[in-house]
Amino acid sequence: MNIGETLRVAISSLVSNKLRTTLTMLGIVIGVGAVIALMSVGRGAQDSVDARIQGMGTNLLFVSPGAAQTAGVKQAAGTAPSLTLEDAEAIAVPGAVPEVVAVAPEAGSPGQVIAGRTNVNTHITGVTPEYEEVRNWHVADGRFITQEDMDTGSRVVLLGSNVADELFPDGNAVDQQVGIGLPNNAKLKFLVVGVLEPKGAQALGNQDDTILMPLTTLQQRVVVQRTNSGGHKVSIINVELTDSDQKVMGAAVQQIGELLRQRHKTAQDDFIIRSQDDMLATANQVTGVMTLLLGAIAGISLMVGGIGIMNIMLVSVTERTREIGIRKAIGAKRRDILAQFLVESVVVSITGGIIGILVGVGISHLISGMTFNGQKMQTAVDPGAIVMAFGVSSAIGVFFGAYPANRAAGLSPIEALRYE
């Protein structure tokens, strides 16, 4: 029997038992659809994280505090009050680090912002004028922080687009007054001088849920924090370089490290220098593990679907024992019987795989843009996931169909004809 005839007989057999074939196929459809949908969620999260890190700016280094030690116990990275505004100014001195283009230190604190009877809990960040270009934070309305604001400690703020919409729904935020609650329960009035361009919600949080003010204002009026050496504490120093070339970044890291060691006079580094590539690699590693985990969980349903194929094919062999005996008695060879049942199994798995791909892609597009817990879901269908899911579903048809097909091919013609 040629392959065309084998395929025709297999399809005819499957069509004659429509309900059973459909239910068997359903396991593969669900499995393949789940794999593609869940992996698209993981890939979307990875793309979202990458976009946010790359949206910080270009050619960047991030200098952050090291880990504090309490009673000899090392705390988490970033807990040491070691970086200061003065450190950032030293890095920015022309010629101190030739590869440096601009330096933008920042410090942050959670806070409550009030306008009339509306209040919002958000994150307040103290920044310098260089922050606008270094971190790609531009204004949609109004102006950015100026050096004059820094020098005088002006009580001015820029609102993220979400904060502006909540406090001023009419859209007229610029030149309005807002109040900011202080840790001592006092409240200071600030003038809104600008509204930031929307950046959108990402996997790491909503970038538009923020307020910017002059760094000196934050340090002197809102959160008065100094290091042990008396410097004005900052949480991170953003450094823009001339190029993203690894040699340039490596040289800058070395020189910035030497400069800070001289300033801090410590035997052990109390700071950490990371590049965008380092952050991307770390983020991709985390989201990659999450994507694989989601795919593995969904893959379990594929295995269940394969077991369902084996179960139904074994039932089919039992029901068609006499048919197998008759075919063997009139000259059908072992390989013909083997091929017939194996083709039936593969047809079910491949058809289910194709439908599952359509279902998975459809679900992925359906949930993209939905909001869960305040975060907008972003999905990205990976062609590799489609190829993998289809390949696995086809392999499952062969693997789980091999035993029933071999059992059918091994039946004795005499015993098969006598089967009731």
Side-chain angles (χ1 to χ4, degrees), residues 89-142:
E89 291 170 345
I91 296 172
V93 171
V97 182
E99 294 80 8
V100 171
V101 173
V103 178
E106 63 178 275
S109 171
Q112 185 182 56
V113 185
I114 305 163
R117 296 185 178 181
T118 306
N119 65 83
V120 175
N121 289 312
T122 185
H123 188 79
I124 303 170
T125 305
V127 301
T128 63
E130 293 77 13
Y131 193 84
E132 180 180 15
E133 296 300 329
V134 172
R135 291 292 302 271
N136 283 337
W137 275 105
H138 301 293
V139 294
D141 190 17

Side-chain angles (χ1 to χ4, degrees), residues 11-320:
I11 293 176
S12 176
S13 175
L14 293 172
V15 171
S16 64
N17 294 280
K18 295 184 182 66
L19 181 59
R20 186 168 69 185
T21 301
T22 301
L23 293 176
T24 305
M25 197 181 296
L26 188 61
I28 299 295
V29 172
I30 293 173
V32 172
V35 167
I36 292 175
L38 290 180
M39 291 192 73
S40 72
V41 170
R43 180 61 181 271
Q46 182 174 346
D47 291 347
S48 178
V49 172
D50 289 353
R52 178 166 186 181
I53 292 175
Q54 292 170 349
M56 291 178 177
T58 58
N59 313 332
L60 294 186
L61 291 179
F62 306 95
V63 186
S64 57
Q69 288 195 2
T70 305
V73 179
K74 196 171 186 179
Q75 307 298 314
T79 54
S82 56
L83 291 182
T84 66
L85 176 59
E86 293 75 17
D87 288 333
E89 291 170 345
I91 296 172
V93 171
V97 182
E99 294 80 8
V100 171
V101 173
V103 178
E106 63 178 275
S109 171
Q112 185 182 56
V113 185
I114 305 163
R117 296 185 178 181
T118 306
N119 65 83
V120 175
N121 289 312
T122 185
H123 188 79
I124 303 170
T125 305
V127 301
T128 63
E130 293 77 13
Y131 193 84
E132 180 180 15
E133 296 300 329
V134 172
R135 291 292 302 271
N136 283 337
W137 275 105
H138 301 293
V139 294
D141 190 17
R143 66 171 177 85
F144 204 77
I145 292 165
T146 65
Q147 189 59 45
E148 183 180 354
D149 295 328
M150 285 284 294
D151 295 339
T152 60
S154 299
R155 286 192 286 178
V156 296
V157 293
L158 291 95
L159 305 183
S161 59
N162 271 13
V163 177
D165 290 341
E166 291 191 45
L167 295 179
F168 303 100
D170 59 0
N172 298 318
V174 178
D175 295 331
Q176 300 292 328
Q177 294 277 339
V178 296
I180 294 182
L182 304 182
N184 60 1
N185 294 324
K187 185 174 73 172
L188 281 179
K189 289 288 186 180
F190 286 78
L191 175 67
V192 179
V193 296
V195 175
L196 296 167
E197 290 180 349
K199 284 201 169 187
Q202 301 287 351
L204 297 179
N206 196 325
Q207 299 180 91
D208 301 324
D209 186 12
T210 189
I211 286 181
L212 304 185
M213 68 171 57
L215 179 57
T216 52
T217 306
L218 179 82
Q219 293 174 330
Q220 297 168 8
R221 301 175 184 269
V222 180
V223 183
V224 182
Q225 291 183 332
R226 289 182 178 267
T227 64
N228 296 332
S229 62
H232 294 89
K233 178 184 173 184
V234 297
S235 57
I236 191 168
I237 301 174
N238 305 284
V239 182
E240 183 180 3
L241 304 181
T242 56
D243 200 292
S244 60
D245 181 76
Q246 291 298 319
K247 289 183 179 180
V248 172
M249 285 199 166
V253 168
Q254 183 178 0
Q255 294 178 62
I256 292 172
E258 291 175 355
L259 176 62
L260 292 179
R261 290 184 199 101
Q262 291 174 4
R263 290 183 53 80
H264 296 180
K265 296 180 174 61
T266 57
Q268 187 175 1
D269 289 352
D270 56 358
F271 56 87
I272 301 170
I273 304 177
R274 294 190 178 94
S275 68
Q276 278 181 305
D277 289 342
D278 295 334
M279 296 180 68
L280 277 172
T282 301
N284 286 339
Q285 186 176 13
V286 173
T287 54
V289 170
M290 181 187 73
T291 302
L292 287 176
L293 180 61
L294 291 173
I297 293 173
I300 294 174
S301 58
L302 263 179
M303 296 300 295
V304 173
I307 293 171
I309 288 178
M310 177 183 283
N311 182 47
I312 294 303
M313 293 307 298
L314 286 172
V315 171
S316 180
V317 169
T318 302
E319 289 181 347
R320 297 160 63 186

